[in-house]
Amino acid sequence: MSYIPGQPVTAVVQRIEIHKLRHGDNLILGFSIGGGIDQDPGQNPYSEDKTDKGIYVTRVSEGGPAEVAGLMIGDKIMQVNGWDMTMVTHDQARKRLTKKNEDIVRLLVTRKSLENAVRHSMLQ
Amino acid sequence: MDTESTYSEYSHYSGRSRGSHRPGERNKERHKSRSKDSRSEKSVTIKAPPAEPLLGDESTHGEEVQDDNWGETTTAVTGTSEHSISQEDIVRITKDMEDSVGLDCKRYLGLTVAAVLGLLVFLTPIAFLILPHVLWPDKLKSCGTACEGLFISVAFKLLILLLGAWALFFRTPRADMPRVFVFRALLLVLVLLFVVSYWLFYGVRILDSQDENYQGIVQYAVSLVDALLFIHYLAIVLLELRQLQPTFSLKVIRSTDGEAGFYNLGHLSIQRAALVILENYYRDFPVHNPALLTAAKSRAAKHMAGLKVYNVDGPGNNATSQSRAMIAAAARRRDSSHNELYYEEADHDRRVRKRKARLVVAVEEAFTHIKRMQEEDQKKAPGEVMDPREAAQAIFPSMARALQKYLRTTRQQHCHSMESIQQHLAFCITNNMTPKAFLESYLNPGPTLQYNKDRWLARHWTLVSEEAVTSGLKDGSIFVLKCVDFSLVVTTRKIPFIKLSEEFIDPKSHKFVLRLQSETSV
C-alpha cells in the first residue's frame, strides 16, 4: 500500500456491506476509525507506510454490525458508498459513515492479507 | 615511603589466590597503620627550625635528603627517583653557568648595534637641517613662514618616531633565539639602505653643489622623516600584527607523561612559534614530576623478566631472531600485569582520597584556631597578638603530619619544602583565604610557574627541527623542544578555511501545531 504522488493508487479490496444497527436514537456501525489527512500518520499502528494518511479501522466492537459483516481491525477504508476515503479529514470520514438517511454502508477495504492471498493464488 | 609499601603489596598479591584477596588487604591495612604509628611517634616538632628545601640546589652532593624538619626519617630511598633528580640538578647547574655568560654577550652586542644604528638614523634629519647653516650660511636664502612651519612638523614627527621606536623596540628581550630574527634583520637592512641612499643624494646634490634653496632642503628632511614613520608602520605590521590572526593550531605533547595542550598561532617562524609555546607551557602544563613515571617501566620489565632464550638448533647466534622470539613469547604469555595495574590504581585512588579527607579535616580544624583580630580585642589580650608568620607557625604543626602524608602519597613531597608551606600558609591567612583556598596548591599539581625557581627545571631549551627554524610554520610541520628531563613534541595543523553562509529565519515563522491522533467510533 505504498503511495507514489501523482500515480493512481491500486489495491486489492474487499467489499463489505454493513447494515447499521439502531441503538436508541443513533445508528451505529460498531467500529472505530483513526487517521485522516489532518492527523499524525506516524502514530498509526496498523499502517505499513508511516506516511499513509488514510482511514484505518482501529477497533471493532464484539458482535456489532461491522464484525458480522466481516470488517477486521487494521483495515484501511478506501471507499464508503462510492465516496473516496483515501484523502479525507478525520471529520469528513466520520460524517460520510454516519449519515442519518443511510441504513447500509458499502465499504471497500484493503488489508495486507488480501494482497498476499492474490499473489499466492497467482503463483499457483 | 609509599613506593615501598606499594611494592610490598605486590608480593602479597602474587603469592595468593583471588579468594584470599580480602583478608590479605585487611592485614596490609593493619600493618600499614601500625608502621605509621611507630613512625609518627618520632614526628612531633612544635618549634619550626629554619627550613631548607628538601633537595638543595647549592649542594653538589645532592644525595643526602635532609628530612629532619619533618621529624620523620625516610625508611628507604628507592634508588631511581631520588638519585636521578639530584644528578639532573648537577647537570642543570653546570649548564646554566655555561650558558649565562655566552647569552649576555650575544644579547648585548646585538642591542648595542641596533641602538647605535637607531641613533644615527634619528639624528639624520637634524643633520640635514643643520649642515647648510654650518657650511654655507651666507649663501642660504632665508626661510619663509611655510618653511618655518615645516620645522615644527619635523620636530613633532621626530618626537612621534622616538616614542614609537621606544614602544616597539626598546623592550627587554625575552629570549635568545638560535637564529637571527628574519623580519627584524630585514627591517634593519631596509632602514640602512634607505638612510644611506638619502645621505648619498644629499651629499651629491646638496653638499657638493651647495644648494641655496633652504626650503627645498627642509622639505627633503621632512620627506625623510615621513618615510621613517612609514618604515616604523611597516615594522609594526611585520613584527606585531601579521601573526595575530590565527592560522595554525599546534598540539604540544609532553613526552614523559602525555600531557597535551593546544595553541592557535598565526604566521610565525618555527623559532618564534617555539618561543610562544614555551611561554605558554609554563602556565598551562602541570609541573613535571619524575616520581610519577617510574611505575610503567618497572611493570614492563617485570613482564619480560623470567623469559630466557635457549638455542636448541645449534650455533648461529642470531640476535634478531632471539629478540623476536622473546617478543612473541612475552605476547603469548598469560600475564596478570593488567590486573595488577587495575588493582594498584584503584588502591592508590582510595588511599589518596582517604589521605585527602584527613588533610581537609585537619586544615579546617587548624584554621579555626586563629581569627583576625578586631579593634575591640586589642585591649583584651595584648600579649598574644601575632603577625601572619607567627600565626602560621602556630597552627602549622596540627596539620603538618596530614599534609606530609598526603604529599607523600601523591609523590609531591619534593616540590614543597616546609618553609614554602609555612610561607603559603602565612600568605593565605593574611588574605583571608579559606582552608580550601590554602589547599588548592597542594591538591592539584599546578603549572610550573607557581613553584620555586629551582623547580622550573629548565630554562635552556633545544629546538630540534628538520626544516630551518627561520622558515614559517606549515601544515604538518613537526618540531621538538628538548630540555634536560623531557621533551615537548609539537605538531601543526592548518585551521581550515571556513565557509560561513547566512540563513534568515523570520521570527513570525515559528509556528506549531498539535499532533492529532483521534479515534472516533461510528
Side-chain angles (χ1 to χ4, degrees):
Chain A
M1 285 184 267
S2 56
Y3 152 67
I4 303 168
Q7 299 298 315
V9 176
T10 54
V12 181
V13 295
Q14 177 184 355
R15 254 183 256 268
I16 292 186
E17 202 175 285
I18 307 180
H19 298 260
K20 291 194 192 175
L21 180 67
R22 184 156 287 277
H23 190 85
D25 207 20
N26 313 327
L27 287 164
I28 59 165
L29 289 159
F31 65 97
S32 300
I33 53 166
I37 52 176
D38 55 340
Q39 306 285 311
D40 175 32
Q43 310 211 11
N44 189 343
Y46 304 110
S47 61
E48 266 178 34
D49 177 14
K50 289 303 171 189
T51 58
D52 184 6
K53 292 187 173 183
I55 307 290
Y56 281 78
V57 174
T58 54
R59 212 168 40 87
V60 176
S61 53
E62 291 260 335
E67 195 183 9
V68 166
L71 192 67
M72 291 171 61
I73 191 172
D75 289 354
K76 178 175 174 185
I77 303 176
M78 309 295 279
Q79 267 187 21
V80 172
N81 285 346
W83 294 102
D84 169 60
M85 296 292 257
T86 54
M87 278 284 143
V88 289
T89 65
H90 191 88
D91 210 42
Q92 282 173 340
R94 182 190 57 84
K95 281 190 193 147
R96 299 240 177 89
L97 282 165
T98 53
K99 284 198 159 39
K100 289 236 159 77
N101 48 6
E102 291 175 354
D103 270 352
I104 303 177
V105 284
R106 292 180 178 86
L107 313 175
L108 288 179
V109 302
T110 179
R111 63 182 84 96
K112 193 73 171 96
S113 52
L114 288 176
E115 270 200 47
N116 291 343
V118 168
R119 209 182 304 131
H120 217 57
S121 60
M122 278 184 5
L123 284 175
Q124 282 178 350
Chain B
M1 288 262 295
D2 274 2
T3 40
E4 279 284 310
S5 54
T6 312
Y7 286 116
S8 69
E9 282 162 31
Y10 284 135
S11 56
H12 279 267
Y13 282 144
S14 52
R16 296 175 185 222
S17 59
R18 203 58 64 76
S20 56
H21 180 250
R22 292 286 169 71
E25 210 177 21
R26 259 186 268 127
N27 285 338
K28 262 185 271 117
E29 289 294 316
R30 264 185 267 133
H31 166 74
K32 266 198 289 189
S33 57
R34 248 186 281 128
S35 60
K36 264 186 235 148
D37 285 344
S38 57
R39 271 188 264 155
S40 67
E41 267 138 41
K42 299 187 213 150
S43 77
V44 176
T45 48
I46 309 288
K47 202 80 168 125
E52 62 220 277
L54 286 176
L55 295 167
D57 213 358
E58 46 274 15
S59 63
T60 45
H61 341 277
E63 287 149 31
E64 294 299 328
V65 178
Q66 284 301 329
D67 225 354
D68 290 335
N69 304 323
W70 288 91
E72 297 184 28
T73 52
T74 52
T75 50
V77 177
T78 54
T80 43
S81 49
E82 302 285 4
H83 285 212
S84 61
I85 288 177
S86 59
Q87 275 170 2
E88 283 155 1
D89 264 347
I90 297 171
V91 170
R92 201 186 329 127
I93 293 167
T94 48
K95 271 202 168 200
D96 279 349
M97 283 186 352
E98 283 169 353
D99 296 330
S100 59
V101 175
L103 266 174
D104 289 348
C105 277
K106 259 203 308 185
R107 233 189 266 169
Y108 288 137
L109 187 67
L111 274 181
T112 46
V113 163
V116 164
L117 201 66
L119 200 63
L120 283 174
V121 164
F122 185 75
L123 292 177
T124 301
I126 304 177
F128 283 2
L129 292 174
I130 293 179
L131 278 175
H133 273 294
V134 167
L135 292 177
W136 61 97
D138 35 338
K139 275 207 282 178
L140 267 185
K141 275 197 219 138
S142 74
C143 199
T145 37
C147 171
E148 278 162 13
L150 287 175
F151 280 152
I152 300 178
S153 103
V154 166
F156 273 98
K157 281 181 187 161
L158 277 179
L159 179 67
I160 291 173
L161 189 62
L162 187 65
L163 284 177
W166 169 81
L168 191 62
F169 298 119
F170 289 15
R171 292 187 284 197
T172 49
R174 57 199 223 214
D176 198 43
M177 307 282 234
R179 301 272 173 185
V180 75
F181 191 168
V182 171
F183 282 143
R184 242 185 244 163
L186 272 177
L187 279 170
L188 274 178
V189 167
L190 182 68
V191 166
L192 204 60
L193 276 177
F194 180 71
V195 171
V196 162
S197 64
Y198 258 69
W199 267 111
L200 268 178
F201 187 85
Y202 186 78
V204 166
R205 298 287 287 276
I206 298 181
L207 284 183
D208 276 354
S209 64
Q210 305 221 330
D211 193 0
E212 63 258 356
N213 180 8
Y214 194 55
Q215 179 155 11
I217 296 176
V218 174
Q219 276 174 342
Y220 185 68
V222 171
S223 79
L224 171 65
V225 181
D226 285 341
L228 283 177
L229 278 174
F230 284 130
I231 292 185
H232 185 261
Y233 155 77
L234 185 68
I236 294 179
V237 165
L238 279 182
L239 297 180
E240 305 283 318
L241 288 186
R242 186 169 172 258
Q243 72 260 27
L244 287 182
Q245 186 183 37
T247 343
F248 296 101
S249 191
L250 276 74
K251 178 173 180 183
V252 184
I253 312 175
R254 187 157 62 186
S255 64
T256 47
D257 52 1
E259 291 281 341
F262 292 85
Y263 300 105
N264 276 11
L265 297 178
H267 284 284
L268 284 173
S269 63
I270 289 183
Q271 59 181 4
R272 284 170 86 194
L275 181 63
V276 173
I277 285 171
L278 284 177
E279 285 170 354
N280 284 325
Y281 164 81
Y282 284 122
R283 178 197 56 167
D284 290 331
F285 279 66
V287 69
H288 169 72
N289 196 347
L292 294 170
L293 304 169
T294 51
K297 287 193 194 147
S298 61
R299 260 202 302 276
K302 259 195 268 172
H303 186 208
M304 291 284 278
L307 286 174
K308 288 184 84 172
V309 179
Y310 292 100
N311 205 338
V312 185
D313 298 325
N317 198 358
N318 199 346
T320 51
S321 67
Q322 265 193 6
S323 46
R324 274 211 209 118
M326 279 202 74
I327 293 173
R332 257 181 264 127
R333 182 172 168 165
R334 227 183 43 164
D335 73 295
S336 57
S337 59
H338 55 274
N339 263 338
E340 284 179 10
L341 173 63
Y342 171 71
Y343 284 114
E344 178 198 339
E345 282 199 348
D347 218 31
H348 178 75
D349 282 344
R350 229 178 12 96
R351 235 182 301 135
V352 165
R353 273 200 298 267
K354 253 203 316 200
R355 293 263 167 97
K356 178 179 168 185
R358 285 199 194 132
L359 172 65
V360 168
V361 163
V363 171
E364 283 173 358
E365 244 187 74
F367 267 65
T368 56
H369 291 320
I370 52 164
K371 75 171 172 106
R372 191 166 269 270
M373 192 181 75
Q374 309 295 327
E375 285 304 317
E376 314 84 62
D377 295 340
Q378 213 167 16
K379 296 141 198 158
K380 286 185 200 168
E384 293 210 358
V385 172
M386 299 183 282
D387 69 355
R389 196 176 140 74
E390 288 163 7
Q393 282 174 3
I395 59 173
F396 178 68
S398 57
M399 65 167 92
R401 214 167 77 231
L403 184 59
Q404 179 200 5
K405 288 205 175 129
Y406 180 81
L407 290 179
R408 284 241 180 104
T409 314
T410 53
R411 308 223 178 105
Q412 289 175 326
Q413 71 271 22
H414 54 87
C415 300
H416 305 279
S417 69
M418 203 168 101
E419 176 64 29
S420 76
I421 297 176
Q422 282 184 345
Q423 266 178 11
H424 185 65
L425 186 54
F427 166 77
C428 291
I429 294 175
T430 322
N431 293 304
N432 297 324
M433 292 204 209
T434 58
K436 200 164 171 187
F438 164 70
L439 282 174
E440 169 268 337
S441 71
Y442 302 110
L443 294 179
N444 314 314
T448 319
L449 272 183
Q450 79 177 32
Y451 294 93
N452 285 331
K453 261 195 163 172
D454 55 356
R455 294 314 297 177
W456 281 15
L457 281 184
R459 244 167 312 149
H460 179 92
W461 295 81
T462 313
L463 177 54
V464 177
S465 158
E466 285 162 17
E467 298 149 2
V469 296
T470 48
S471 65
L473 283 176
K474 280 190 278 288
D475 184 27
S477 48
I478 298 178
F479 55 95
V480 177
L481 287 160
K482 278 210 287 221
C483 83
V484 176
D485 305 316
F486 55 89
S487 52
L488 297 172
V489 182
V490 183
T491 48
T492 322
R493 302 290 334 230
K494 196 165 157 57
I495 295 177
F497 179 75
I498 295 172
K499 204 164 152 65
L500 203 57
S501 57
E502 76 159 301
E503 184 186 331
F504 174 68
I505 298 182
D506 186 7
K508 293 204 203 99
S509 71
H510 296 297
K511 294 195 190 301
F512 296 89
V513 289
L514 282 177
R515 285 166 66 144
L516 300 170
Q517 71 260 19
S518 34
E519 191 187 339
T520 332
S521 54
V522 292

